Amino acid sequence: MSGRFVRLAESARQAVTIRVDGKPVQALLGDSVMVAVLTAGGHLRESEFGDGHRAGFCLMGACQDCWVWTADGERLRACSTPLTEGMDISTRQPETTWPDHA
Amino acid sequence: MAGPRVIIIGAGPAGVRCAETLVAAGIRPTIIDEGRRDGGQIYRRQPDNFTRSYSTLYGTEAAKAAVLHSCFDALRERVDYLPETLVWNISERVVYALRLGKLVELPFDALVLCTGATDRLMPVKGWNFAGTYSLGGAQVALKSQACAIGRRTAFIGTGPLLYLVAAQYLKAGAGVAAVLDTSPWSLRLAALPKLLAMPRALFNGMALTLALRRAGVPMYNGVTPLEITGSGEGGVSGLSFKDARGQAHSLACDAVALGYHLRPETQLADLARCEFQFDAATRQWLPRIDPDGRSSVHGVYLAGDGARILGANAAEASGRLAALAVLKDSGHPVETDVVDGQRRILARLERFAQGLRQSFPWPAHFAANLPDDAVVCRCEAVTVGELRRVVAQTGATESNRAKAFSRVGMGRCQGRYCGNAAAEIIAHAADVPIDQVGRLRGQAPVKPLPIAIAEDGA
């Protein structure tokens, strides 16, 4: 789908390119990661409980619904993280491998 | 002399006025804030390269926002300010925080919690679909990022924020599908004498409603939400509700902003071992404080919406009062006239807040009618039916016990968005009074911490 969020103003900012799930996405300097991802697409992550896509909820760092991941597996809270040029974001949670203590 | 070590948590209106009052008395407080900039949620600042004016951002509150921001700017050299710092625990007069990826420990003699509020939520079937946001979240998108949460947003719930955010969306050029208030209009009339304690705020609220009506936005009072329709993949596609006469309606929208006034963020007060008491008027548990914000724990104070939902003006007054209490308790001279003046301001605002509570009540009765397949815990997609089953089968009628069996309140939001509703669902299912259900205990860390963090100086 096209973007979920709609820009209403402040569109004269410097353009920044990031990658989301491997594809280039045009965003603007000053965007949160959440806005960058959701002006281009419809979701931030999958619910791990099988009820579909999630796109955040509170936008003030309280609900933790907006987690995304970087290519190195770091978890970001998308609503409170400003984007930086060249960010490589994944909407899919990296596979977890548990250390084998057997 | 070295003054007491004072830590203020939160840099919204309460925290800033608290700091200002302490600095004026020669104390250098530490201000810890999770935000990148001061202002809190209400006076949240936009990023540096945004250019909208104060008037565009804050509307009728523009002058107050500008004054508070410049107050903070003037304090910067006289306080230790730690932005982007998450306090995750409080124990034995030490604040534990995460700052720039490192754990830091900050001992204190006095702690002022100015932790603010989040939206108070009642589930509606389908609220877990992408595109449903809290009302406050919908406002943050606009205020902080100049975005709307969708092309056509339906606003549903109750409280002053419902009209404020819908009107802000309209003014900014966003599509507003409808404004649906669960509170009947008659309650606002009945509350008029109390609302007149703040005539200007009342007038501003009426002007917002009028602006929405003039723009032809469909507006209903006394509604019952039925369902947010959509799909797990595509997210929200519509909303259905019953009007005050019981007539069902449905409308198309790609976003829903949902909220039922506010709830205080009290986890840190809980970790600081403050006593709580049940507040029958709002049907929630609040930290017990004296008129100046002293909690039951010596040296721990509360101010702003994190203690009581009284709004931003009251937050400024209660922030000052908490600072004056800190000063008095640490042996500084405090003029009683100053204290009395702030208390009088607070009393007037308390009356107005009572009017708002009466006008826009928490719809506790909705909990009984939620369908079993509605999700109550968005974090882990636990349904209302599952919570009811747990209550019926295990006899768990206390919040924390029901949480242990059902996982409602155990997810990543730690009960912030399900806790109030879950308590109502439990109370109804078990047929016990809401105060007997108790409250979810705050747990450290109050927000999830990344796994890879280092101890400072290690």
Side-chain angles (χ1 to χ4, degrees):
Chain A
M1 73 179 276
S2 58
R4 178 170 294 289
F5 280 11
V6 181
R7 294 188 191 277
L8 300 169
E10 303 285 355
S11 50
R13 286 173 281 142
Q14 182 191 326
V16 176
T17 304
I18 64 166
R19 294 179 80 78
V20 179
D21 295 332
K23 298 193 184 88
V25 161
Q26 288 289 324
L28 300 174
L29 192 67
D31 282 354
S32 65
V33 169
M34 184 171 190
V35 161
V37 176
L38 290 182
T39 47
H43 70 280
L44 295 168
R45 67 180 182 97
E46 297 289 328
S47 162
E48 1 17 353
F49 297 86
D51 60 330
H53 288 154
R54 291 300 178 90
F57 185 71
C58 80
L59 281 82
M60 54 183 80
C63 76
Q64 321 297 329
D65 192 51
C66 65
W67 289 355
V68 294
W69 295 268
T70 63
D72 344 336
E74 189 195 350
R75 187 181 80 207
L76 301 177
R77 196 168 69 188
C79 75
S80 58
T81 308
L83 67 71
T84 49
E85 176 78 50
M87 258 183 171
D88 196 348
I89 300 293
S90 173
T91 66
R92 289 180 286 270
Q93 182 161 11
E95 294 273 325
T96 309
T97 50
W98 296 96
D100 184 3
H101 292 303
Chain B
M1 75 171 206
R5 294 166 301 177
V6 185
I7 294 179
I8 300 166
I9 300 179
V16 171
R17 291 305 185 190
C18 178
E20 179 192 37
T21 308
L22 291 168
V23 165
I27 289 174
R28 184 182 180 90
T30 298
I31 306 176
I32 307 177
D33 191 36
E34 205 184 342
R36 302 176 67 78
R37 298 287 304 274
D38 60 290
Q41 296 304 338
I42 179 139
Y43 301 129
R44 185 188 259 262
R45 300 204 197 203
Q46 62 187 355
D48 289 338
N49 61 336
F50 282 49
T51 56
R52 290 169 298 171
S53 67
Y54 269 78
S55 158
T56 302
L57 282 173
Y58 308 108
T60 55
E61 308 307 294
K64 281 183 212 153
V67 168
L68 196 80
H69 289 166
S70 54
C71 169
F72 184 80
D73 291 342
L75 289 172
R76 275 300 295 271
E77 303 304 315
R78 302 166 74 187
V79 299
D80 293 314
Y81 173 49
L82 307 177
E84 294 185 86
T85 302
L86 170 69
V87 174
W88 61 273
N89 197 11
I90 295 166
S91 177
E92 306 294 329
R93 314 235 144 229
V94 177
V95 163
Y96 295 84
L98 177 66
R99 173 165 172 73
L100 307 173
K102 287 186 172 176
L103 294 174
V104 290
E105 296 181 15
L106 301 158
F108 63 83
D109 299 307
L111 175 67
V112 189
L113 298 171
C114 305
T115 44
T118 57
D119 294 87
R120 192 177 190 191
L121 267 299
M122 175 65 80
V124 49
K125 187 181 173 186
W127 75 313
N128 47 317
F129 290 146
T132 303
Y133 292 92
S134 72
L135 262 174
Q139 189 186 38
V140 171
L142 180 60
K143 197 168 6 182
S144 163
Q145 293 277 290
C147 283
I149 57 170
R151 276 158 195 77
R152 223 175 113 75
T153 303
F155 292 82
I156 185 162
T158 199
L161 204 57
L162 185 74
Y163 299 92
L164 175 62
V165 184
Q168 287 172 333
Y169 265 54
L170 181 73
K171 196 174 166 197
V176 179
V179 178
L180 308 171
D181 193 331
T182 56
S183 304
W185 173 247
S186 56
L187 293 179
R188 263 157 275 178
L189 284 181
L192 205 55
K194 287 175 184 148
L195 295 173
L196 281 167
M198 292 286 289
R200 201 174 71 94
L202 176 62
F203 175 82
N204 290 342
M206 287 163 61
L208 296 174
T209 312
L210 196 64
L212 288 160
R213 279 207 190 286
R214 281 202 179 134
V217 172
M219 296 175 82
Y220 290 83
N221 292 298
V223 309
T224 304
L226 293 175
E227 185 177 354
I228 295 170
T229 50
S231 68
E233 287 289 300
V236 173
S237 63
L239 173 70
S240 61
F241 66 96
K242 269 192 309 194
D243 67 22
R245 289 175 304 176
Q247 174 90 38
H249 300 257
S250 59
L251 55 87
C253 57
D254 62 350
V256 174
L258 176 69
Y260 294 86
H261 212 15
L262 302 172
R263 54 168 282 283
E265 275 282 287
T266 56
Q267 291 89 350
L268 293 178
D270 205 356
L271 293 175
R273 300 183 179 275
C274 298
E275 279 174 26
F276 281 60
Q277 62 190 13
F278 185 73
D279 178 51
T282 59
R283 295 173 72 87
Q284 55 193 346
W285 292 81
L286 300 173
R288 190 160 62 76
I289 52 171
D290 82 353
D292 299 333
R294 292 178 185 86
S295 76
S296 62
V297 177
H298 178 72
V300 178
Y301 306 77
L302 289 99
D305 277 358
R308 298 280 180 277
I309 303 300
L310 300 176
N313 297 333
E316 293 192 35
S318 65
R320 289 189 181 105
L321 278 171
L324 293 166
V326 169
L327 291 171
K328 190 170 180 204
D329 297 349
S330 57
H332 284 71
V334 169
E335 287 176 37
T336 47
D337 287 3
V338 179
V339 174
D340 290 345
Q342 295 300 315
R343 282 186 186 170
R344 272 196 301 275
I345 293 171
L346 206 54
R348 191 160 60 91
L349 294 164
E350 164 65 34
R351 185 166 167 75
F352 181 71
Q354 281 172 8
L356 288 181
R357 286 199 293 271
Q358 191 181 337
S359 302
F360 306 109
W362 163 246
H365 57 288
F366 286 179
N369 298 323
L370 283 169
D372 274 343
D373 60 350
V375 161
V376 55
C377 158
R378 293 179 79 260
C379 297
E380 302 199 357
V382 184
T383 62
V384 175
E386 171 63 9
L387 180 57
R388 288 178 180 145
R389 188 193 64 75
V390 159
V391 173
Q393 291 186 0
T394 67
T397 61
E398 191 275 329
S399 275
N400 295 283
R401 197 164 159 75
K403 168 183 162 182
F405 286 119
S406 68
R407 297 195 58 84
V408 172
M410 211 179 278
R412 53 178 83 198
C413 87
Q414 303 193 355
R416 286 176 176 84
Y417 292 103
C418 61
N420 288 132
E424 301 289 357
I425 292 165
I426 295 165
H428 181 262
D431 195 21
V432 296
I434 183 77
D435 57 318
Q436 278 182 31
V437 176
R439 63 190 181 87
L440 291 173
R441 281 187 297 270
Q443 305 275 0
V446 296
K447 289 185 182 177
L449 300 176
I451 295 164
I453 45 180
E455 278 190 64
D456 191 28

